[in-house]
Structures are given as C-alpha cells and as structure tokens.
Amino acid sequence: MKRIFAVLVALTCMLTACGGTGVQSTSEQTQSVQESEAYVSIPSASSEASEPVEDADTAESGANILVAYFSATGNTENVARHLQTVLNAELYEIVAEEPYTSEDLDYNNESCRANQEQQNPDARPAIAGTLENPEEYDVVFLGYPIWWDGAPKILYTFLESYDFGDATIAPFCTSGSSGIGSSADDLQAFAENATWLEGQRFSAGASEEELASWVEGLDLPMLSVSAEEPTAR
C-alpha cells in the first residue's frame, strides 16, 4: 500500500513539473513577441509632411528658369542665390578658367587684369565648366558686377558660347553706387534672338523681398514667385 501511494505521489509531482514548464514557455514566447513588436517601424504623419512639395503655380507654368551669374567677390552671388530661391530656378555660376585675384581687381592700378580686359574690346576671358542644354531655358536671369560702368568681359564670352534662342533674358547687376547703365544694352548684341527685359541694379545685401518685388514687376505670366515660402528643392 505504501508503495502504491509513493507511486501516486511521484506521478503527481511529474505532472506538476510538466505543467510548470509549459507555463514558463508560454511566458517567454509572449515576451519575445512583445519585444519584436517594439522594433516595428510605423510610418508617421510627420515623415510624409517632410517630403518636398512642388509649387503648384510653377508646375502649371512649366517654365524652365535659369539664374546665371558671374561673381568675383561674392556680392553678385548673394543676390543670385536669393533670386534662385524666389524663382525656384536652376543656378549656374560663370567661373573664370583663371580665377581673379585681389591684385587683378585693383582698379587703382591701370595695368591690373580687370582694367586691361575692360579696355580691350576683343577681350574674352575663358570660362571653366559647361552649361548643359541652354536652349531648354525659357527665362534667363543674368547677373554680374559693374566694372568700369560695364559688364565684365567674361559675360561676353558666356553669351558668345551659348545659344539661348528666343528665351527671355532679364539682366541684373550689383555695384556700390553705379546703376546698370548701358551694360545690359552692350550685351544684347550677343543674344539678338532673345527678348531682353530692362535690367536692375541691386546692392550686395538685397533681400528676397526686394528681388521678388522686381520679378513681379517684370510681368512675366510664366513665373510664380514667393519670397516667404520658396519651393523646396
């Protein structure tokens, strides 16, 4: 009788042990599933909102706009970059193959490089790099500093190097005090098929609001400008 009772007790202990093992296994599986779910990436509304959105007016007009500029000291570059933002345009820097040094721009020295180029009607400083597909642009904003009341001769090189067809060209310049004068008129002979708009002079510190106001005054229906909310690119 004692032997039978001992067998029953042993069987009971075995069944209890098996049951405990089953509960532990289930608990471990549950924890494993919870941990794996914690690393699931769930898209949020903010991630979708951060994607660049194309400006509806620009998309509707379909205009290809280029801001091309030459800047030896950075003044014209500042204005060109603001203009790029306002217009949501492509930006192209006209870079001299032989960069200009401070000595080259010493206008008090009659023999400095800039003075020699400006006094030579045939001067055509070489340009580094290439502008791809110039004929595809509908509007070109052309920027430069004023050197001795005129556009630097590298602008002549640029216009002689590319055919913009019947595009609309809007010149702009930077200077300490001089206006755009006849500099833009002198450039028109090198893009005779284009429609040239009246140019504008800006200071180096011109704001996006100033540039937007100028562009709006040009009355070009294919352009949509915004100084407050430029399109992300």
Side-chain angles (χ1 to χ4, degrees):
M1 186 68 178
K2 291 180 178 181
R3 180 177 296 176
I4 295 174
F5 179 76
V7 171
L8 291 174
V9 171
L11 290 173
T12 301
C13 291
M14 292 176 62
L15 291 173
T16 301
C18 292
T21 302
V23 171
Q24 182 180 1
S25 175
T26 303
S27 175
E28 291 175 352
Q29 290 176 357
T30 301
Q31 182 180 2
S32 176
V33 170
Q34 290 175 342
E35 289 176 351
S36 65
E37 289 178 347
Y39 290 95
V40 174
S41 176
I42 301 175
S44 63
S46 61
S47 65
E48 295 180 358
S50 65
E51 291 297 323
V53 179
E54 186 177 8
D55 182 87
D57 292 336
T58 302
E60 183 178 353
S61 69
N64 292 324
I65 308 168
L66 174 70
V67 176
Y69 71 96
F70 168 70
S71 184
T73 62
N75 291 336
T76 307
E77 179 178 13
N78 293 336
V79 175
R81 289 191 176 278
H82 282 327
L83 193 57
Q84 177 202 22
T85 301
V86 167
L87 292 165
N88 192 29
E90 297 293 331
L91 188 67
Y92 178 79
E93 181 179 6
I94 303 169
V95 179
E97 190 173 276
E98 181 184 349
Y100 289 87
T101 66
S102 58
E103 289 77 13
D104 293 335
L105 303 176
D106 183 6
Y107 303 112
N108 295 319
N109 180 1
E110 287 294 329
S111 62
C112 79
R113 176 184 172 189
N115 285 340
Q116 289 181 344
E117 290 177 354
Q118 293 304 100
Q119 295 169 9
N120 181 2
D122 297 323
R124 297 293 186 272
I127 295 176
T130 303
L131 173 66
E132 301 294 338
N133 305 316
E135 72 282 354
E136 294 184 358
Y137 294 104
D138 303 301
V139 183
V140 178
F141 285 81
L142 187 61
Y144 51 90
I146 293 295
W147 286 4
W148 286 107
D149 298 324
K153 289 300 178 65
I154 197 169
L155 268 295
Y156 291 49
T157 308
F158 178 72
L159 290 175
E160 286 182 342
S161 301
Y162 300 105
D163 183 4
F164 291 100
D166 59 355
T168 298
I169 300 180
F172 65 95
C173 73
T174 58
S175 70
S177 58
S178 301
I180 197 166
S182 62
S183 64
D185 296 334
D186 295 337
L187 294 174
Q188 293 186 23
F190 302 98
E192 294 180 333
N193 294 327
T195 299
W196 286 78
L197 303 181
E198 183 176 355
Q200 180 66 38
R201 175 258 174 195
F202 295 98
S203 67
S207 66
E208 290 183 9
E209 288 74 14
E210 289 180 71
L211 293 162
S213 177
W214 172 56
V215 172
E216 290 172 352
L218 295 176
D219 194 25
L220 291 172
M222 76 281 288
L223 300 185
S224 175
V225 301
S226 174
E228 297 179 355
E229 299 180 359
T231 302
R233 291 183 69 81

